[in-house]
Amino acid sequence: SRASTGASGGAVRVRVGSGTSGSGGLVSLASGRSAGASGGCLSAESGEGTQKSGGAILIRTANGGAAGASGQLAFSSGSSKGGNSGLLLVGSGAATAGRSGGVGISAGSGTSGAGGALSLQSGRSTVATGGGLGVASGEGTQTSSGIVAVRAANGGASGASGRLAFSSGSSSAGNSGTVTIGSGPATSGRGGDVSVAVGSGTSSAGGALSFASGRSAAATGGHVAVCAGEGTEKSSGAVVVASANGGASGASGLLAFSSGSAKSGNGGGISIGSGAASGGRGGAVSVSAGSGTSGSGGAAYFGAGRSTSR
């Protein structure tokens, strides 16, 4: 259409016919093929607004009928026989005097069935390492960086909230992948905290928290290590293992330190001690039972192991 100096520019519309007993007409846009160079490009671009917003680009399928689904919407690069396949980019442009645009991807809700699934998966390789999958928040060069939040939605009136699983895949001939959860270092502030907490229960027991190392059928099982941070100039951090206080009609939780049993070897040892000091006093070790205000004080027992053969 022609340009207009005092009103809106003319619209261009391409539309095919509808069908009453068969499929509606097809609209196809395809760039040219080349046998010796790159194929032709296909570009769709909205109009610039030199004083206000640029135009929108809307690509969508029509709603489904009473007995059908809405149409599929596919964005994909083609396959390649002797080189890399094409890149697929989804993003918003940069802003010099405002906030950059957001990118939102969401699946549809369901009123009589499950909501739509959202899947992010990197590519598989039969001869090399599979593709990586990275999720990173934006950097704040002058203030804080952005938050990365991964969470399941709340459960309904008669259901549970969704499960959240972080796991590496299994391996048939090598080591399985590592799972690392941590905060970054700080050069002029405090290192970030890492907090793992389970939910409380108002009508039943609170959620359990379990740490278990891996089992081995041919070698030693995996270790579990809990270590406080080093203080190179001052005190190191504390390690506190405690059960919570009991309620009005209950006892405080049991605290048990025990090694496992052994079928044909020695049982594991338990060592409780303080570290050595090169320029000060060695740390004390204290074992005490609780006092009682309306009953007996707690007992402390030390006993060596029993033997049935000697």
Side-chain angles (χ1 to χ4, degrees):
S1 64
R2 295 182 179 180
S4 174
T5 58
S8 300
V12 176
R13 182 173 298 173
V14 178
R15 186 173 183 177
V16 295
S18 59
T20 57
S21 60
S23 298
L26 175 69
V27 175
S28 177
L29 299 177
S31 56
R33 176 177 176 271
S34 174
S38 298
C41 295
L42 182 61
S43 176
E45 183 176 353
S46 64
E48 179 185 8
T50 57
Q51 300 296 324
K52 296 188 178 182
S53 303
I57 294 181
L58 179 63
I59 302 175
R60 63 182 296 269
T61 64
N63 297 332
S70 60
Q72 184 185 27
L73 196 60
F75 296 92
S76 173
S77 64
S79 61
S80 177
K81 296 181 179 179
N84 298 330
S85 61
L87 182 67
L88 187 62
L89 292 176
V90 179
S92 63
T96 57
R99 188 176 61 185
S100 59
V103 176
I105 300 175
S106 62
S109 59
T111 57
S112 59
L118 179 61
S119 175
L120 299 177
Q121 184 173 359
S122 56
R124 176 177 175 268
S125 175
T126 58
V127 295
T129 304
L133 180 61
V135 179
S137 64
E139 180 185 8
T141 57
Q142 300 296 324
T143 57
S144 302
S145 60
I147 297 173
V148 175
V150 181
R151 63 181 297 270
N154 297 333
S158 60
S161 60
R163 185 174 67 156
L164 197 59
F166 296 92
S167 173
S168 64
S170 61
S171 177
S172 58
N175 297 331
S176 61
T178 302
V179 176
T180 302
I181 299 176
S183 62
T187 56
S188 59
R190 187 178 64 185
D193 296 329
V194 175
S195 176
V196 179
V198 296
S200 59
T202 58
S203 59
S204 185
L209 179 61
S210 175
F211 290 92
S213 56
R215 177 178 175 270
S216 175
T220 304
H223 299 287
V224 174
V226 179
C227 183
E230 180 185 8
T232 57
E233 299 294 334
K234 296 187 179 181
S235 301
S236 62
V239 175
V240 179
V241 181
S243 63
N245 297 332
S249 59
S252 61
L254 175 71
L255 198 59
F257 296 91
S258 173
S259 63
S261 61
K263 295 181 180 178
S264 60
N266 297 329
I270 296 179
S271 297
I272 300 175
S274 63
S278 59
R281 186 178 62 186
V285 176
S286 174
V287 179
S288 63
S291 60
T293 58
S294 58
S296 300
Y301 294 96
F302 294 90
R306 175 176 174 268
S307 175
T308 58
S309 60
R310 290 188 181 181

